[in-house]
Amino acid sequence: MSSGIIVSQQVIDLFHDIKSKKKIRYCILDLNDTETALVPGECVLKPEPADVSLCAVKKEWESFCSKLTLNDCLYIIYDMNYQRPGGARRDKLLLISWCPESSSTRKKMIYTSTLNTLKSALAGIQVEVQSNDLGDLDFEEVLQKVDKS
């Protein structure tokens, strides 16, 4: 079932920038004021120079997670780059659906029914993470999903 909410051209353009220019770590997507379209919200740039060690990436991930509110649903495009011990480098685009249990039923229904529309608009997402609480965003668990993709 579709919610009727569209993905704005700004979101699509932003996604292509994230994918090609590799300067943005993550960007939050939210509904516009009239709840008719998904629009970009806060975007966070990657640090310069980029540290792709697991320790640094975990610290960045935990900082990102600490900014999530427990009463509002969001989507996040996250560009995860890290290097495994032994040298294997991973670069993956994640789509995170954040719908905490404490958010309103209405919001949860809107975001759940809009997810497929968003995924269709963002060709190139490599990992999808659905989360209802911070436990679902545990760094090690997300890393396992990314490693399997």
Side-chain angles (χ1 to χ4, degrees):
M1 178 176 93
S2 174
S3 64
I5 293 171
I6 64 165
V7 178
S8 70
Q9 188 61 46
Q10 298 143 309
V11 168
I12 295 167
D13 293 344
L14 175 70
F15 175 70
H16 289 295
D17 279 353
I18 292 170
K19 205 163 80 166
S20 63
K21 295 181 182 171
K22 299 287 194 183
K23 294 188 184 286
I24 297 173
R25 172 64 68 214
Y26 67 86
C27 192
I28 293 172
L29 310 179
D30 201 359
L31 292 173
N32 63 2
D33 292 338
T34 58
E35 295 187 344
T36 56
L38 285 171
V39 294
E42 177 188 10
C43 293
V44 173
L45 297 175
K46 292 179 181 178
E48 290 287 332
D51 183 351
V52 294
S53 69
L54 280 177
C55 183
V57 173
K58 181 177 182 175
K59 192 173 187 177
E60 248 188 291
W61 180 262
E62 289 171 349
S63 173
F64 152 72
C65 288
S66 73
K67 294 178 182 179
L68 296 173
T69 64
L70 297 177
N71 59 356
D72 203 10
C73 298
L74 301 167
Y75 296 115
I76 302 103
I77 301 168
Y78 195 102
D79 189 7
M80 183 176 269
N81 322 103
Y82 62 94
Q83 190 163 357
R84 280 286 193 196
R89 185 173 166 114
R90 301 277 192 267
D91 295 298
K92 300 289 182 173
L93 287 173
L94 285 64
L95 175 60
I96 302 165
S97 173
W98 173 250
C99 256
E101 292 295 329
S102 54
S103 58
S104 74
T105 302
R106 183 176 175 282
K107 278 273 193 176
K108 287 188 273 191
M109 288 175 62
I110 289 171
Y111 274 78
T112 300
S113 60
T114 306
L115 183 58
N116 283 334
T117 302
L118 180 59
K119 288 191 304 189
S120 296
L122 303 182
I125 289 292
Q126 297 158 308
V127 180
E128 183 183 337
V129 179
Q130 294 187 15
S131 52
N132 300 85
D133 61 41
L134 290 173
D136 295 334
L137 294 175
D138 175 73
F139 180 73
E140 296 302 326
E141 287 185 34
V142 172
L143 206 57
Q144 284 179 357
K145 283 184 182 182
V146 172
D147 279 341
K148 288 180 184 177
S149 66

